[in-house]
């Protein structure tokens, strides 16, 4: 099972609407992956990689877990191991918390997508600094320009975990 790309030829266009219903406006969904978040027990769900956030959703026997992490709060993304030698986990580290996502079928692919999107965000921040200094910097395409503008305009927000149907707002 691999992640899914979204676009005009998306075989599941309803997923974008479902993710928007769960998390609000998170930008365009780039990929999604089946995985589990490490808690007292592993909560299986889906990790959605969007233009502005990394989102995780699980609904296991009525226990709902929502996690929404803005790229601006991510300090590090690393590949991890389960049981010391099984390469199927990723850690997303923020200043406040470490999120361990496990049970990926395609950890390396997910890792590359996460790093790529985080690098795009960091590029927007650095590009904004260069523009303020008067240097010339332009996005490569109109789609990139829109994505960069949306990411750059995104206010700084902390990651949020929402349990059991809590309102989807940042703390």
């Amino acid at each position: 099972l691999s992640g899914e790309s979204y676009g005009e030829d998306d075989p599941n266009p309803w997923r974008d609407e479902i993710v928007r219903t769960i998390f609000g406006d998170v930008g365009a969904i780039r990929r999604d992956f089946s995985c589990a978040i490490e808690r007292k027990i592993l909560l299986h769900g889906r990790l959605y990689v969007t233009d502005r956030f990394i989102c995780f959703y699980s609904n296991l026997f009525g226990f709902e877990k929502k996690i929404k992490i803005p790229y601006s709060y991510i300090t590090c993304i690393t590949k991890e191991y389960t049981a010391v030698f099984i390469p199927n986990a990723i850690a997303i580290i923020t200043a406040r918390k470490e999120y361990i996502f496990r049970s990926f079928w395609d950890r390396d692919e997910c890792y590359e997508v996460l790093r790529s999107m985080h690098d795009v965000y960091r590029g927007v921040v650095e590009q904004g600094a260069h523009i303020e200094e008067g240097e010339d910097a332009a996005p490569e395409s109109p789609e990139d320009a829109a994505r960069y503008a949306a990411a750059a305009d995104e206010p700084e927000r902390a990651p949020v975990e929402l349990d059991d149907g809590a309102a989807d707002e940042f703390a």
Side-chain angles (χ1 to χ4, degrees):
L1 300 174
S2 65
E4 308 220 0
S5 292
Y6 290 89
E8 292 178 17
D9 59 345
D10 180 12
N12 298 313
W14 47 269
R15 285 192 182 172
D16 192 47
E17 186 174 329
I18 291 170
V19 170
R20 202 172 308 122
T21 299
I22 294 168
F23 294 104
D25 182 17
V26 293
I29 299 168
R30 296 299 172 190
R31 301 293 291 265
D32 70 290
F33 299 91
S34 176
C35 66
I37 185 81
E38 183 177 296
R39 292 292 185 252
K40 292 178 184 175
I41 62 169
L42 286 179
L43 298 173
H44 188 268
R46 292 202 73 79
L47 184 75
Y48 299 94
V49 182
T50 76
D51 286 343
R52 298 183 301 183
F53 298 92
I54 297 170
C55 302
F56 175 80
Y57 180 74
S58 173
N59 188 344
L60 187 64
F61 304 117
F63 179 73
E64 192 172 45
K65 172 62 89 180
K66 299 178 193 178
I67 300 172
K68 187 174 172 182
I69 308 169
Y71 291 112
S72 61
Y73 274 64
I74 297 171
T75 58
C76 188
I77 301 172
T78 62
K79 293 180 183 181
E80 301 293 329
Y81 292 86
T82 300
V84 182
F85 61 90
I86 301 171
N88 70 345
I90 295 174
I92 298 174
I93 302 165
T94 68
R96 296 181 182 181
K97 193 166 189 172
E98 180 178 35
Y99 300 89
I100 305 289
F101 296 96
R102 300 195 179 280
S103 303
F104 286 97
W105 283 98
D106 44 12
R107 178 197 65 171
D108 292 339
E109 182 181 354
C110 182
Y111 175 79
E112 292 304 322
V113 171
L114 291 171
R115 289 295 306 252
S116 173
M117 292 306 294
H118 188 238
D119 289 348
V120 166
Y121 172 79
R122 286 191 351 225
V124 168
V125 171
E126 291 170 7
Q127 184 180 43
H130 293 304
I131 291 171
E132 289 174 10
E133 295 168 3
E135 292 183 19
D136 218 9
E140 295 177 10
S141 72
E143 182 183 282
D144 287 342
R147 187 168 70 226
Y148 292 165
D153 290 341
E154 182 66 30
E156 294 291 315
R157 296 180 175 160
V160 63
E161 289 190 46
L162 304 167
D163 295 328
D164 298 324
D168 186 18
E169 298 179 7
F170 288 102

